[in-house]
Amino acid sequence: MKCKYICSSWRGVLLRVLTYGCILIALTGCLSPIALNRAVIAYDEAVTDAISQQLLVNIVRAHYRQPIHFTGVSNITATFTFAANAGATPALGGLAGATLMPIFGGSLAESPTISIVPIEGEEFTKRLLTPFPQSKLTLLLRQHYDVDMLLRMMAQEVRMEDSVQRGVYRNSPSERMGYEMFRRVALHLSAIQDHNQLYAEPLLLTHTWIMPAATIAPDSFQSLQKEFIVHYNAADDTFSLRKQIPGPILITNYDPDLLSEEEREKLNERAREWDVSDIAFDIRAGYPGGEWPMSGFFRLRSFHSILGFLSKSLGSEVGYHVEKDSRTLPILGDENPNITMGFSVSSTPPSGADFSIRWDSRYYAVNTSGPHARWNRDAFQLLFLLFQMTVTDLPRIGVPSITIAK
């Protein structure tokens, strides 16, 4: 009878051990995606923080006239190993060894391999020194970035070309007259944008070709009609071929589609003098913001120049308040800070900063306190995006992966 009882007890314990073992094995399967999710987020945060701190330290380097340099993470491989074990041992009390207690164990090991490479070489250096094309600015403008912030960071000067005001005005606090004119023009465009009346569209140019009918083979009409608007002129037995071609991007306070062909042609003639890194504007009377009509173009900076410009706010060329022109529409919100991006400098680690770097026993951080905290964060986010538009693809060894082993 006693033997029968003990065997039954052993069977119960064994059943419990097997049950708990299955649960433990199942739990390791559940832990795998949890570990994967946490790893992806953790590595993503680490890489983002590394890039952010590199941007900040390069601004400080530029301030001290030191070479700027970037390093990137080209590959992350993380291996997770899960181990589970189960067993049984006699209980410390009870029926003298007839009762067994289950024992469970498990372990988790992570082995990350991170490949770090310097971002350098002729291709990256060219991209670093080449002014941004107008398409990059308009891409960001369509993401609802404030045009004032974009121009203050990306444009080095504005060239006014209308008959009343003509000249070159640099976006540099050391040139007081030029700096204040630049700021007022940018504020004027920002006020028009605040009222949802700012357009940034490519100027559609119509090209026309006249060809004798005898020179066009009948079997070529189908292919011509795919690319051109074809019209036959019976009076002189010719065909006119018309095609609309996107021209340079134009910032306006009116719908560019309302322009006549003659006006488009005039703008097209002016566009021949513009570079790919120039973005033109044409603000006309009779439309929102037309109280101050103006025309001209902004000349954009390179990313290297942007870092240099931002670094000057740590020294003698600090931005200052510039009031909008009296003809400018009201500015909505707090969109006219003195400095394009504010920084805090201290001898101790700053409290409340998103991140900071240490350079020569001083701590530098983006100023995220005070009335311009949102503006400064948006400005740094913009700088981050501009860097992503500049950096080249990093060399990779194999395929980046995160593997889970059980």
Side-chain angles (χ1 to χ4, degrees), residues 4 44 49 54 68 82-83 93 110 131 157 178 180 214 255 267 276 332 339 356 394:
K4 182 178 180 181
D44 180 74
D49 289 346
Q54 283 188 78
I68 66 172
F82 294 88
E110 177 185 1
E157 63 189 30
E180 292 180 2
D255 188 348
L267 289 172
V276 67
L332 302 182
I339 305 175
S356 64
L394 300 178

Side-chain angles (χ1 to χ4, degrees), residues 216-282:
I216 301 179
D219 56 353
S220 63
F221 272 102
Q222 187 174 3
S223 59
L224 285 174
Q225 289 176 341
K226 291 180 179 179
E227 297 187 27
F228 304 92
I229 299 175
V230 182
H231 178 72
Y232 176 67
N233 305 306
D236 53 2
D237 193 29
T238 61
F239 283 100
S240 61
L241 308 179
R242 300 179 63 202
K243 184 177 182 179
Q244 282 193 332
I245 301 176
I249 294 171
L250 189 65
I251 295 178
T252 62
N253 62 337
Y254 56 87
D255 188 348
D257 291 338
L258 301 177
L259 291 175
S260 64
E261 291 297 330
E262 182 181 358
E263 290 174 313
R264 292 176 188 274
E265 189 58 35
K266 288 181 180 179
L267 289 172
N268 185 33
E269 290 298 324
R270 288 176 52 198
R272 299 182 193 278
E273 304 174 2
W274 302 336
D275 189 78
V276 67
S277 60
D278 297 337
I279 183 161
F281 58 92
D282 184 37

Side-chain angles (χ1 to χ4, degrees), residues 18-30:
L18 291 175
T19 302
Y20 292 147
C22 292
I23 294 174
L24 186 60
I25 292 172
L27 284 176
T28 61
C30 295

Side-chain angles (χ1 to χ4, degrees), residues 293-331:
M294 61 177 74
S295 63
F297 61 89
F298 293 93
R299 181 148 289 174
L300 301 183
R301 292 185 171 111
S302 65
F303 188 78
H304 186 274
S305 296
I306 290 175
L307 293 179
F309 167 74
L310 294 174
S311 72
K312 292 178 181 177
S313 64
L314 295 171
S316 57
E317 292 192 37
V318 181
Y320 54 89
H321 179 71
V322 176
E323 190 60 48
K324 71 179 183 68
D325 189 89
S326 59
R327 296 164 289 184
T328 298
L329 295 169
I331 303 294

Side-chain angles (χ1 to χ4, degrees), residues 94-148:
L95 297 175
T99 303
L100 296 181
M101 296 296 294
I103 301 174
F104 303 101
S107 63
L108 166 64
E110 177 185 1
S111 302
T113 301
I114 302 174
S115 302
I116 301 174
V117 296
I119 306 175
E120 55 189 13
E122 182 179 0
E123 182 182 355
F124 174 67
T125 304
K126 284 183 178 179
R127 293 168 69 96
L128 196 66
L129 299 176
T130 301
F132 282 100
Q134 56 180 228
S135 58
K136 303 294 186 184
L137 185 141
T138 52
L139 176 64
L140 293 166
L141 198 57
R142 288 170 182 170
Q143 307 307 310
H144 305 290
Y145 271 93
D146 182 67
V147 68
D148 184 33

